[in-house]
Amino acid sequence: GQQVMQIPQYQHVQEGEDFTTYCNSSTTLSNIQWYKQRPGGHPVFLIQLVKSGEVKKQKRLTFQFGEAKKNSSLHITATQTTDVGTYFCAGYTGNQFYFGTGTSLTVIP
Amino acid sequence: DSGVTQTPKHLITATGQRVTLRCSPRSGDLSVYWYQQSLDQGLQFLIQYYNGEERAKGNILERFSAQQFPDLHSELNLSSLELGDSALYFCASSRGGGTGELFFGEGSRLTVL
Protein backbone atom coordinates (compact mmCIF):
# COMPACT_ATOMS: atom_id res chain seq x y z
CA GLY A 1 0.00 0.00 0.00
CA GLN A 2 0.85 3.64 -0.18
CA GLN A 3 3.53 4.76 2.23
CA VAL A 4 5.23 8.01 2.99
CA MET A 5 8.48 7.59 4.84
CA GLN A 6 10.32 10.38 6.56
CA ILE A 7 13.89 10.52 7.80
CA PRO A 8 15.39 11.04 10.23
CA GLN A 9 12.92 10.20 12.97
CA TYR A 10 14.78 12.35 15.46
CA GLN A 11 17.33 15.13 15.05
CA HIS A 12 19.19 17.06 17.71
CA VAL A 13 21.07 20.15 16.59
CA GLN A 14 22.92 22.98 18.22
CA GLU A 15 21.22 26.31 17.84
CA GLY A 16 22.53 27.91 14.68
CA GLU A 17 23.10 24.63 12.85
CA ASP A 18 21.11 23.66 9.80
CA PHE A 19 18.47 20.93 9.72
CA THR A 20 16.96 18.87 6.93
CA THR A 21 14.17 16.32 6.88
CA TYR A 22 13.40 14.12 3.91
CA CYS A 23 10.15 12.61 2.76
CA ASN A 24 9.81 9.73 0.30
CA SER A 25 6.70 8.26 -1.25
CA SER A 26 6.29 4.86 -2.84
CA THR A 27 4.08 6.41 -5.51
CA THR A 28 3.80 9.68 -7.40
CA LEU A 29 2.05 12.41 -5.47
CA SER A 30 -0.36 15.06 -6.70
CA ASN A 31 1.05 17.48 -4.22
CA ILE A 32 2.82 17.54 -0.89
CA GLN A 33 2.20 19.59 2.20
CA TRP A 34 4.35 20.24 5.26
CA TYR A 35 3.11 20.68 8.79
CA LYS A 36 4.74 21.57 12.08
CA GLN A 37 3.54 20.25 15.42
CA ARG A 38 4.92 21.91 18.52
CA PRO A 39 5.24 19.74 21.65
CA GLY A 40 1.77 19.34 23.10
CA GLY A 41 0.21 21.09 20.15
CA HIS A 42 -1.58 20.28 16.94
CA PRO A 43 -0.22 20.18 13.40
CA VAL A 44 -0.07 23.55 11.70
CA PHE A 45 0.16 23.94 7.96
CA LEU A 46 3.41 25.37 6.64
CA ILE A 47 3.28 25.07 2.87
CA GLN A 48 2.04 23.16 -0.16
CA LEU A 49 4.11 22.17 -3.20
CA VAL A 50 2.41 21.12 -6.41
CA LYS A 51 4.78 21.31 -9.35
CA SER A 52 7.58 18.93 -10.21
CA GLY A 53 10.90 20.38 -9.02
CA GLU A 54 9.20 23.21 -7.16
CA VAL A 55 11.19 25.11 -4.55
CA LYS A 56 9.60 27.48 -2.06
CA LYS A 57 11.14 29.56 0.71
CA GLN A 58 9.73 30.94 3.91
CA LYS A 59 12.39 32.98 5.69
CA ARG A 60 14.86 30.34 6.95
CA LEU A 61 12.80 27.40 5.65
CA THR A 62 13.31 25.96 2.15
CA PHE A 63 10.94 23.36 0.75
CA GLN A 64 11.60 21.24 -2.32
CA PHE A 65 9.44 18.84 -4.34
CA GLY A 66 11.32 16.26 -6.37
CA GLU A 67 11.27 16.07 -10.14
CA ALA A 68 9.43 12.76 -10.04
CA LYS A 69 6.98 14.11 -7.42
CA LYS A 70 7.84 11.22 -5.11
CA ASN A 71 10.10 12.97 -2.65
CA SER A 72 10.38 16.23 -0.82
CA SER A 73 12.61 17.96 1.69
CA LEU A 74 12.44 20.70 4.26
CA HIS A 75 15.62 22.54 5.12
CA ILE A 76 15.96 24.99 7.99
CA THR A 77 18.95 27.30 7.97
CA ALA A 78 20.47 28.44 11.26
CA THR A 79 17.98 26.77 13.59
CA GLN A 80 16.50 28.64 16.51
CA THR A 81 14.88 27.31 19.68
CA THR A 82 11.53 28.31 18.24
CA ASP A 83 12.01 25.69 15.51
CA VAL A 84 11.55 22.88 18.05
CA GLY A 85 8.77 20.46 17.13
CA THR A 86 7.87 17.62 14.84
CA TYR A 87 7.75 18.25 11.12
CA PHE A 88 5.41 16.15 9.02
CA CYS A 89 5.08 15.87 5.30
CA ALA A 90 1.72 14.88 3.85
CA GLY A 91 1.52 13.56 0.33
CA TYR A 92 -1.75 13.61 -1.57
CA THR A 93 -2.59 10.70 -3.84
CA GLY A 94 -5.55 8.45 -4.44
CA ASN A 95 -8.02 10.90 -2.92
CA GLN A 96 -6.35 11.17 0.46
CA PHE A 97 -3.41 12.56 2.35
CA TYR A 98 -0.69 10.23 3.57
CA PHE A 99 1.27 11.68 6.43
CA GLY A 100 4.91 10.87 6.89
CA THR A 101 6.18 9.46 10.15
CA GLY A 102 7.52 12.86 11.17
CA THR A 103 10.90 14.20 12.23
CA SER A 104 11.22 15.43 15.78
CA LEU A 105 13.63 18.36 15.98
CA THR A 106 15.35 19.32 19.20
CA VAL A 107 17.40 22.51 19.23
CA ILE A 108 20.04 22.77 21.92
CA PRO A 109 20.66 26.37 23.01
CA ASP B 1 -6.67 29.28 16.94
CA SER B 2 -7.41 27.18 13.86
CA GLY B 3 -11.16 27.61 14.12
CA VAL B 4 -11.69 23.86 14.48
CA THR B 5 -13.28 22.87 17.77
CA GLN B 6 -12.94 19.44 19.31
CA THR B 7 -14.63 18.12 22.42
CA PRO B 8 -13.86 16.72 24.85
CA LYS B 9 -10.21 17.68 25.26
CA HIS B 10 -9.54 14.80 27.58
CA LEU B 11 -11.40 11.57 28.18
CA ILE B 12 -10.61 8.67 30.47
CA THR B 13 -12.61 5.50 30.19
CA ALA B 14 -12.39 1.75 30.68
CA THR B 15 -11.87 -1.09 28.28
CA GLY B 16 -15.03 -2.24 26.58
CA GLN B 17 -16.67 1.14 26.79
CA ARG B 18 -17.86 3.41 24.00
CA VAL B 19 -17.07 7.09 23.52
CA THR B 20 -18.01 9.81 21.08
CA LEU B 21 -15.66 12.55 19.98
CA ARG B 22 -17.06 15.67 18.42
CA CYS B 23 -15.64 18.09 15.90
CA SER B 24 -16.90 21.41 14.59
CA PRO B 25 -15.06 22.48 11.45
CA ARG B 26 -14.06 26.01 10.54
CA SER B 27 -16.88 28.12 9.26
CA GLY B 28 -17.34 27.41 5.55
CA ASP B 29 -15.24 24.25 5.48
CA LEU B 30 -17.01 21.29 3.94
CA SER B 31 -14.52 18.53 4.63
CA VAL B 32 -13.77 16.92 7.96
CA TYR B 33 -10.92 14.49 8.53
CA TRP B 34 -10.18 12.28 11.52
CA TYR B 35 -6.65 11.26 12.46
CA GLN B 36 -5.25 9.12 15.25
CA GLN B 37 -1.89 9.92 16.80
CA SER B 38 -0.44 7.45 19.27
CA LEU B 39 2.58 8.20 21.45
CA ASP B 40 5.61 8.91 19.29
CA GLN B 41 3.63 7.95 16.22
CA GLY B 42 2.71 9.79 13.13
CA LEU B 43 -0.76 10.76 12.06
CA GLN B 44 -2.86 7.80 11.01
CA PHE B 45 -5.68 8.79 8.69
CA LEU B 46 -9.00 7.34 9.72
CA ILE B 47 -11.71 8.83 7.56
CA GLN B 48 -12.82 11.91 5.61
CA TYR B 49 -16.27 13.36 5.08
CA TYR B 50 -17.19 15.96 2.51
CA ASN B 51 -20.47 17.79 2.78
CA GLY B 52 -22.08 14.93 4.67
CA GLU B 53 -20.80 12.09 2.54
CA GLU B 54 -17.92 9.72 3.22
CA ARG B 55 -15.10 10.72 0.87
CA ALA B 56 -12.12 8.59 1.79
CA LYS B 57 -11.39 5.84 4.23
CA GLY B 58 -8.10 5.02 5.84
CA ASN B 59 -7.07 2.62 8.55
CA ILE B 60 -10.27 2.87 10.52
CA LEU B 61 -11.16 -0.14 12.64
CA GLU B 62 -14.58 -1.74 12.35
CA ARG B 63 -15.16 -0.79 16.00
CA PHE B 64 -14.90 2.85 14.97
CA SER B 65 -17.46 4.77 12.99
CA ALA B 66 -18.01 8.37 12.05
CA GLN B 67 -20.53 10.64 10.46
CA GLN B 68 -20.93 14.21 9.35
CA PHE B 69 -24.18 15.95 10.10
CA PRO B 70 -26.13 18.48 7.99
CA ASP B 71 -24.60 21.35 10.00
CA LEU B 72 -21.20 19.87 8.99
CA HIS B 73 -20.04 18.94 12.46
CA SER B 74 -18.73 15.43 12.75
CA GLU B 75 -18.63 12.72 15.38
CA LEU B 76 -16.23 9.83 15.74
CA ASN B 77 -17.61 6.89 17.67
CA LEU B 78 -15.19 4.45 19.26
CA SER B 79 -16.66 1.27 20.71
CA SER B 80 -15.45 -1.84 22.52
CA LEU B 81 -12.45 0.19 23.53
CA GLU B 82 -9.09 -1.49 24.03
CA LEU B 83 -5.96 -0.27 25.78
CA GLY B 84 -4.34 0.24 22.40
CA ASP B 85 -6.98 2.78 21.42
CA SER B 86 -5.44 5.27 23.84
CA ALA B 87 -4.26 8.09 21.61
CA LEU B 88 -4.73 11.67 20.58
CA TYR B 89 -7.53 11.98 18.05
CA PHE B 90 -7.35 14.98 15.77
CA CYS B 91 -10.03 16.41 13.62
CA ALA B 92 -9.09 18.60 10.69
CA SER B 93 -11.16 20.54 8.22
CA SER B 94 -10.59 21.98 4.78
CA ARG B 95 -12.52 24.23 2.46
CA GLY B 96 -13.15 21.72 -0.30
CA GLY B 97 -12.96 18.00 -0.74
CA GLY B 98 -9.60 17.90 -2.40
CA THR B 99 -6.08 18.90 -1.68
CA GLY B 100 -6.31 22.11 0.25
CA GLU B 101 -4.71 23.10 3.52
CA LEU B 102 -5.86 21.15 6.55
CA PHE B 103 -6.77 23.05 9.70
CA PHE B 104 -6.37 20.88 12.78
CA GLY B 105 -8.22 21.10 16.04
CA GLU B 106 -6.41 20.78 19.35
CA GLY B 107 -7.29 17.12 19.62
CA SER B 108 -9.11 14.86 22.02
CA ARG B 109 -6.84 12.81 24.24
CA LEU B 110 -8.38 9.44 24.97
CA THR B 111 -7.02 7.25 27.74
CA VAL B 112 -8.37 3.73 28.05
CA LEU B 113 -7.66 2.04 31.38
Side-chain angles (χ1 to χ4, degrees), chain B residues 75-96:
Chain B
E75 293 181 355
L76 179 65
N77 301 295
L78 315 174
S79 62
S80 302
L81 286 168
E82 302 175 358
L83 296 178
D85 297 327
S86 295
L88 192 53
Y89 291 85
F90 284 109
C91 168
S93 73
S94 68
R95 189 68 63 186

Side-chain angles (χ1 to χ4, degrees), chain A residues 27-61:
Chain A
T27 62
T28 302
L29 304 169
S30 299
N31 66 61
I32 195 157
Q33 297 178 349
W34 285 91
Y35 290 80
K36 177 183 178 180
Q37 184 177 17
R38 293 181 185 275
H42 59 275
V44 175
F45 175 83
L46 294 176
I47 208 159
Q48 176 169 290
L49 305 170
V50 179
K51 299 176 184 175
S52 169
E54 189 170 13
V55 177
K56 286 188 176 181
K57 293 190 176 185
Q58 288 180 349
K59 297 182 180 178
R60 294 178 295 104
L61 277 61

